[in-house]
Amino acid sequence: MSVAMALPREMRPGAHSVPAGAVVYNDDAELVAALHRGDRAARTVLVQRYEPLVERLVAGALGIDSEISDVIQDVFVGVFEGIRSLKDASALRSWIATLAVFTARGKIRRRRRWRWIRFLAPEEVPEVPVTGPQGETHEAVRATYRVLDTLPDDERMAFSLRFISEMQLTEVAAACRVSLATVKRRLARAERRFVDAAKDHPALRERLQNGGRWGVEES
Amino acid sequence: MSELENLMRDVARTVQTDARRRQLLPEIQARLAALDDKRRPARAVWGWSMAGAMACCAAGIAFYVMQVQPVSFAVDGVSSAGTTGAVGQKLAAPEASALSLRFSDGSQVTLPPRAQAHVDDVDNKGATVAVDDGTVEVSVVHRAKTRWQVRAGRYQIHVTGTRFAAGWDAREQTLTVTMREGSVIVTGPGLKQGTPLTSGQRLRVNAAASEPSAAIDDADAPELAAPTPAAADAVEPAAVEAEPAVVVTETPTPAREERRVGSIRTRRAAPIKLAQLDDDWRAFEARHQFKEAFAAALNAGWDNYCARLGAEDLIKLGNVARYSRDAGHAESAYQAARRRSSTADQPVFFLGRVAFDLRKDYVAAGNWFDSYLKRFPHGPLAQEAAGLLLDSRLKAGDNVGARDAAGSYLRAFPHGPLASKARATVGQ
């Protein structure tokens, strides 16, 4: 079966710049209203406007990963499917952030289940080949996500949102749909677990042995 | 800042740069659009029966599991808007207009006027497009298992995700491949073991002679006729024995660097230029080339960006202008970011920086930093804002305001870097 594509011009690949006279939505209220009307141009604007946010959250949660674009796509599919349930346009940003967090966490959980099914330890799972940075930084990044793989999902998400995606505590709480106190507890536990596990990774141990609040003490 | 916080900053920068480098936005937009088009007919039959829907789901699952559905394509032209294309069908663009082939994986091939091509083959990983005559523009969306080829005469261009132009002159038997983004590998007569091409390079091959000749130069070098074996002899006579003849055409640029690719001598591509990036300021910004990013954004339409981008991109856009010391454009981007997201703290802070650093308007700067501290008392830039508020009040000659700012600073950050200055101000 063949599918004839009918991409609107503004959604074709590479269509970054906007022609003069294009539809403009000055704020999220206008944008959400247009989305409720089913305006396709509004969908394009929403993706352009919020893709960096979603990318930052998803990339922070998953690291260098060949499936990031799939996860981001899933987030926006969820946004478009659920937009009618969004009544308060001012909550659009935090709502999208929540969807991104839950979608990324779902991805992490599915992977964990697959590992369990295959009886493989995380370090035995073959890595998806992706081109990325090389050298010490790359080693540190890989080690960081290996350590994060060992954390419980909720703690991992709180940790990556706070320290990698650099969200504020209140934003993390809102995105995870938990109280500020719960986020603080999760972060405290995640920090302890991370520092403990980091001792087993030379690339992290070297970076952290200078001390400080989270510094790894040399044994 | 602790070592772990430093490490996390590096991790954040690395993973976000990686994601940005892969330019996910066009791919995601195309896939969402494709998904939408596929869903529309499904919505129309939704009410028929639950059993029908279940069957559709099963078929869909089977489709994704088996992954056997080949990509398909539609042909857009003056008289054939959106008609489904067929493999093997000869496609010729009219005298005065172009023809576009839009593939279901988001890739696109454009035939300019008078160009001729056909789709040779399609499968679930991509397609093979044969250029019969003329130069076609190719834009392939990268996926994990993309397998795209463009064929021109006896030459094959192996593609992953990239943009380039492939030209085939059937009469002269010459191939031209001009890279816009990404990389390809070209194979065929005269190209031993495949010739890799990267962004900014242009390959020209003359296949008419008994010993085909090839040359690689900058994509923005002036168009020249494809090299001839005679020209090759003149440049490198020793190369014409067992190997195909080779010639290098170069435009005079400083600090040229040559390398060898198989039997072909090439020159490293010149630094990427503005036009090659389609005015994409993000690419420059990611490389911390702020002046180039600023020029690219101006070129592409600053006001459009301010009207369309999200808050995070607008802040980056404002930073690009601020680092280029253009206060007006920086302010317009930051103000747009404020309108977009009332909870974003950075635009307020950076508006203060513009007033302080660029406009030297210390009263206005103080007002911005004061506003930041009132709205985001525990914001990530609160300490810097408190310090700059103190500096702004002092520079504006507002001694009373400076003492207030110093007192506030000491209460919030008693061990901050400006604590001694604040104490001195309070003690005055």
Side-chain angles (χ1 to χ4, degrees):
Chain A
M1 187 182 74
S2 61
V3 179
M5 299 272 298
L7 298 182
R9 183 178 300 280
E10 70 276 10
M11 291 191 79
R12 287 178 191 165
H16 282 296
S17 56
V18 181
V23 183
V24 169
Y25 306 98
N26 284 315
D27 55 30
D28 284 346
E30 288 182 19
L31 182 60
V32 170
L35 288 165
H36 284 178
R37 291 195 303 270
D39 184 347
R40 294 195 74 180
R43 303 173 71 170
T44 308
V45 173
L46 181 127
V47 174
Q48 283 180 336
R49 195 173 281 183
Y50 284 103
E51 192 268 345
L53 169 70
V54 175
E55 182 183 286
R56 180 161 62 91
L57 299 182
V58 171
L62 300 182
I64 296 174
D65 194 300
S66 63
E67 293 185 272
I68 279 179
S69 64
D70 293 335
V71 178
I72 296 174
Q73 182 196 352
D74 290 345
V75 174
F76 282 109
V77 168
V79 169
F80 293 140
E81 286 180 343
I83 193 71
R84 287 189 182 281
S85 67
L86 180 71
K87 304 300 179 198
D88 178 10
S90 66
L92 178 65
R93 180 187 163 85
S94 61
W95 181 65
I96 291 174
T98 301
L99 274 173
V101 167
F102 279 68
T103 308
R105 195 180 64 179
K107 185 74 182 174
I108 292 165
R109 282 183 174 168
R110 281 194 297 279
R111 282 186 181 164
R112 203 186 292 277
R113 280 190 215 116
W114 272 104
R115 278 186 202 132
W116 186 84
I117 289 168
R118 293 172 184 170
F119 300 103
L120 290 174
E123 61 271 21
E124 291 169 330
V125 177
E127 288 193 23
V128 179
V130 289
T131 56
Q134 301 296 324
E136 287 179 17
T137 304
H138 186 47
E139 275 306 305
V141 171
R142 280 167 48 129
T144 296
Y145 282 93
R146 283 185 180 229
V147 171
L148 289 179
D149 276 343
T150 65
L151 266 55
D153 296 335
D154 288 334
E155 291 177 18
R156 173 188 176 150
M157 287 309 301
F159 187 91
S160 67
L161 291 173
R162 180 75 180 103
F163 299 117
I164 302 177
S165 300
E166 298 179 327
M167 291 177 92
Q168 295 180 35
L169 282 173
T170 50
E171 292 176 318
V172 177
C176 295
R177 286 188 180 163
V178 294
S179 70
L180 192 58
T182 302
V183 162
K184 287 179 179 174
R185 276 198 304 276
R186 284 181 184 174
L187 278 172
R189 285 197 297 266
E191 287 172 32
R192 277 198 301 274
R193 287 185 212 268
F194 187 92
V195 171
D196 284 345
K199 293 172 185 169
D200 298 330
H201 293 265
L204 298 180
R205 196 171 54 231
E206 285 173 19
R207 290 288 302 264
L208 302 180
Q209 65 191 182
N210 289 343
R213 183 160 69 103
W214 292 330
V216 177
E217 293 176 9
E218 283 187 276
S219 54
Chain B
M1 182 179 291
S2 74
E3 286 303 313
L4 188 55
E5 283 173 309
N6 276 331
L7 169 66
M8 288 304 132
R9 287 250 162 117
D10 284 351
V11 170
R13 199 163 44 240
T14 304
V15 297
Q16 283 160 22
T17 301
D18 174 75
R20 181 132 288 177
R21 182 177 57 78
R22 284 195 263 162
Q23 306 236 339
L24 300 171
L25 181 58
E27 180 186 355
I28 288 163
Q29 285 180 319
R31 290 167 67 178
L32 286 169
L35 201 64
D36 192 49
D37 287 340
K38 283 179 187 173
R39 281 180 176 189
R40 232 177 293 152
R43 280 196 208 115
V45 299
W46 173 249
W48 286 8
S49 70
M50 202 62 193
M54 295 281 281
C56 286
C57 288
I61 291 166
F63 158 71
Y64 283 111
V65 170
M66 295 170 71
Q67 293 187 339
V68 294
Q69 181 171 336
V71 298
S72 56
F73 67 101
V75 182
D76 263 356
V78 174
S79 60
S80 58
T83 57
T84 305
V87 172
Q89 177 189 8
K90 292 284 182 189
L91 301 165
E95 284 282 327
S97 62
L99 206 62
S100 285
L101 315 184
R102 287 177 293 102
F103 290 81
S104 54
D105 67 349
S107 301
Q108 184 161 337
V109 176
T110 305
L111 280 61
R114 294 190 298 279
Q116 296 176 30
H118 65 276
V119 177
D120 224 11
D121 188 22
V122 291
D123 61 23
N124 58 326
K125 292 173 186 165
T128 302
V129 174
V131 184
D132 298 317
D133 201 11
T135 299
V136 302
E137 289 283 340
V138 182
S139 173
V140 171
V141 174
H142 173 75
R143 299 192 176 204
K145 294 176 181 173
T146 299
R147 192 172 61 203
W148 261 83
Q149 283 188 28
V150 174
R151 198 163 55 73
R154 290 177 291 161
Y155 295 89
Q156 270 98 39
I157 304 166
H158 304 269
V159 190
T160 52
T162 190
R163 287 198 310 118
F164 63 98
W168 177 247
D169 187 326
R171 194 163 51 87
E172 300 288 335
Q173 293 283 294
T174 55
L175 169 75
T176 308
V177 182
T178 308
M179 298 302 301
R180 315 265 192 245
E181 286 174 10
S183 60
V184 298
I185 295 174
V186 186
T187 58
L191 302 171
K192 192 178 180 181
Q193 296 174 339
T195 298
L197 292 178
T198 56
S199 175
Q201 288 187 314
R202 179 173 60 207
L203 167 73
R204 286 173 293 144
V205 185
N206 185 340
S210 56
E211 290 176 339
S213 56
I216 297 174
D217 63 4
D218 283 348
D220 54 353
E223 280 286 352
L224 298 171
T228 61
D233 288 345
V235 174
E236 192 160 333
V240 191
E241 266 191 334
E243 300 293 332
V246 172
V247 67
V248 180
T249 56
E250 295 179 352
T251 47
T253 53
R256 289 194 298 265
E257 185 175 334
E258 293 182 347
R259 64 191 173 98
R260 293 194 67 87
V261 180
S263 63
I264 300 175
R265 192 183 337 147
T266 69
R267 185 159 57 81
R268 180 186 286 183
I272 295 172
K273 295 190 178 166
L274 195 62
Q276 293 169 333
L277 285 167
D278 284 342
D279 299 335
D280 193 349
W281 62 275
R282 289 183 182 84
F284 287 118
E285 193 269 345
R287 292 199 298 268
H288 295 178
Q289 293 173 286
F290 298 112
K291 286 189 176 171
E292 290 83 353
F294 183 52
L298 284 178
N299 193 42
W302 189 270
D303 291 341
N304 275 330
Y305 279 138
C306 286
R308 303 277 292 193
L309 291 177
E312 292 185 28
D313 269 344
L314 284 166
I315 292 166
K316 286 182 181 170
L317 198 64
N319 290 343
V320 158
R322 185 160 60 89
Y323 298 148
S324 303
R325 308 197 67 77
D326 188 314
H329 284 95
E331 284 167 342
S332 68
Y334 292 140
Q335 290 285 14
R338 286 186 73 212
R339 285 194 297 275
R340 203 79 80 233
S341 172
S342 58
T343 58
D345 68 309
Q346 290 184 30
V348 182
F349 180 82
F350 290 139
L351 281 163
R353 291 303 302 254
V354 171
F356 190 97
D357 297 330
L358 303 183
R359 295 203 182 279
K360 312 291 183 195
D361 183 347
Y362 301 113
V363 174
N367 291 340
W368 281 117
F369 295 128
D370 189 40
S371 172
Y372 181 96
L373 290 166
K374 282 176 178 157
R375 295 194 57 205
F376 310 102
H378 304 295
L381 298 167
Q383 184 170 323
E384 288 84 350
L388 284 162
L389 173 62
L390 171 58
D391 278 343
S392 301
R393 298 295 192 225
L394 287 171
K395 282 180 179 284
D398 178 2
N399 292 335
V400 175
R403 275 196 290 278
D404 286 347
S408 299
Y409 186 95
L410 287 171
R411 280 192 295 279
F413 310 104
H415 305 295
L418 292 184
S420 57
K421 190 176 191 176
R423 280 191 205 95
T425 306
V426 170
Q428 281 174 357

